[in-house]
Amino acid sequence: MVRIGILGCGFIGKVHAKAFAHIPNAKVVAVADHDSGRAREVAAWLGAEAVAGADDLLRRQDIDMVDVCLPTYLHARHVIAAARAGKHVLCEKPMAMNLEEADAMIEAAERAGIAFMVGHTLRFWPEYVTIWDLIRRGELGRPVALSAARLGTQPMYSWDGWLLDPGRGGGAVPDLHIHDIDYIAWLLGRPKAVVARGRRSANGCWNHVFTTLDYGGGVAAFAEATFLVPPSFPFTMMLRAVCETGTAEFMSRSGVNIEAREGSAKTLTVYRKDGTVLRPDVARQDAYEAELAYFLRCIEDGRRPETTTPADARLSLEIVLAAIRSLETGDVVGM
């Protein structure tokens, strides 16, 4: 049994709390949030205790792991504090606001000898995992072109509007676009160059973006993300992997955000070069439950996470920051 403390009971904190409730070896013992009423609400769901703040939570001896579900600009501070307190740490994506913070987080985790993982959920999302597995097994040949999209309306749920503040959340590129950037990097690794074009909103955030990742040798990936479609537009996720001997395509249209999967219309189809068309079997699992359960198993087994490592999360952040630099300068940014 892994004893858990949750820092942050906002949108993603509640998603994680509900997922923990379905994981047999998870026991949430304490939660903290600046809004004491919200903390009490989440604590009541889980039979946990609502504590006054992060310091109170980190002082507890009955907590093995801390789940950092705070705004992005607070990630580094609290991950480092949790590591120094000897707690294993899961941190919601994006990892940090900049690479200096990311490096400090990695160093603190390594120095403390704790398990540390950033929650890049697509690495546990059933359809994305199925495509990754098909490619890794060589069933579609070498990937030559990836296309991805993530289209949603402007989120209004963040406390004090932090998500749409350039200095605290950064808008669609670091928050939404990073999902597909991380998945592309999971499949193809570090690109040789990044070029991005998009639209900047009045709040200073780039809230619509087209990014091309050049891998050389005729291999490239393209990703689009937006917060600019109206609320009536269904949240859309798309991935197309064109490979040497086949193409896999996933399409999902659902509610107004990535977590609203109920009632979604989704398909995963594989088109082989020999003319056959397949609908692969996809595991019936919740991606958040799978992600959190994996991290808990790593803790119990005394091993570091491998499905997504701190270095992986740092690379995804580095690519996103390169895309922002390209947006701002108009340049192609070398990696």
Side-chain angles (χ1 to χ4, degrees):
M1 182 70 67
V2 179
R3 302 167 300 177
I4 301 155
I6 299 176
L7 281 180
C9 298
F11 188 70
I12 197 64
K14 289 179 177 179
V15 170
H16 282 202
K18 291 175 181 177
F20 279 129
H22 294 98
I23 300 173
N25 61 330
K27 173 60 178 174
V28 178
V29 298
V31 303
D33 192 275
H34 78 281
D35 183 331
S36 59
R38 192 160 59 188
R40 288 194 298 271
E41 175 191 11
V42 172
W45 297 349
L46 301 167
E49 181 181 349
V51 300
D55 291 342
D56 296 296
L57 188 144
L58 294 180
R59 277 195 292 265
R60 294 181 66 123
Q61 298 301 307
D62 58 347
I63 288 177
D64 306 307
M65 169 211 156
V66 174
D67 185 10
V68 178
C69 296
L70 297 166
T72 305
Y73 72 103
L74 298 175
H75 286 180
R77 180 194 318 171
H78 289 89
V79 166
I80 292 169
R84 289 175 176 170
K87 314 297 186 186
H88 303 290
V89 188
L90 180 83
C91 179
E92 181 54 27
K93 62 81 210 159
M95 185 177 191
M97 294 298 293
N98 54 62
L99 295 180
E100 292 75 20
E101 289 182 345
D103 289 338
M105 295 159 77
I106 293 171
E107 181 183 2
E110 290 178 348
R111 188 182 299 273
I114 53 96
F116 172 42
M117 191 175 92
V118 178
H120 281 291
T121 315
L122 293 193
R123 297 188 183 214
F124 300 89
W125 205 281
E127 290 83 2
Y128 288 87
V129 172
T130 299
I131 293 173
W132 180 88
D133 195 45
L134 286 169
I135 291 172
R136 289 299 181 188
R137 294 203 310 263
E139 295 191 20
L140 301 177
R142 187 173 72 104
V144 296
L146 300 182
S147 301
R150 202 153 298 266
L151 315 175
T153 191
Q154 179 171 297
M156 303 304 294
Y157 51 76
S158 62
W159 164 77
D160 195 35
W162 68 265
L163 184 54
L164 301 174
D165 182 329
R168 297 188 295 166
V173 179
D175 186 75
L176 185 68
H177 200 39
I178 199 169
H179 282 290
D180 291 318
I181 294 298
D182 178 73
Y183 186 80
I184 291 167
W186 192 30
L187 279 173
L188 299 180
R190 173 182 289 273
K192 294 183 179 297
V194 175
V195 59
R197 298 292 182 264
R199 180 177 178 83
R200 196 173 214 158
S201 297
N203 59 16
C205 294
W206 294 94
N207 282 327
H208 198 117
V209 62
F210 302 95
T211 299
T212 299
L213 287 71
D214 181 4
Y215 283 88
V219 177
F222 172 84
E224 177 187 9
T226 190
F227 275 162
L228 298 185
V229 295
S232 56
F233 190 98
F235 186 88
T236 299
M237 299 188 291
M238 185 278 290
L239 174 71
R240 183 184 305 113
V242 178
C243 304
E244 290 176 331
T245 60
T247 294
E249 184 175 63
F250 171 59
M251 174 69 74
S252 173
R253 309 194 85 195
S254 56
V256 296
N257 56 64
I258 192 171
E259 288 80 13
R261 300 186 296 287
E262 295 79 6
S264 64
K266 56 185 180 179
T267 58
L268 171 57
T269 309
V270 174
Y271 305 85
R272 294 190 182 276
K273 196 173 183 178
D274 64 8
T276 58
V277 179
L278 306 175
R279 291 288 176 86
D281 291 332
V282 177
R284 297 181 62 84
Q285 64 180 3
D286 179 87
Y288 293 96
E289 289 181 27
E291 172 189 87
L292 297 172
Y294 170 77
F295 187 61
L296 297 187
R297 288 196 301 273
C298 289
I299 293 172
E300 291 188 325
D301 294 345
R303 58 188 172 91
R304 302 294 175 84
E306 295 178 353
T307 299
T308 176
T309 68
D312 292 335
R314 186 193 188 279
L315 174 59
S316 298
L317 176 62
E318 184 181 357
I319 297 170
V320 160
L321 294 174
I324 293 173
R325 189 155 68 253
S326 180
L327 285 165
E328 293 178 342
T329 65
D331 295 337
V332 175
V333 177
M335 295 290 293

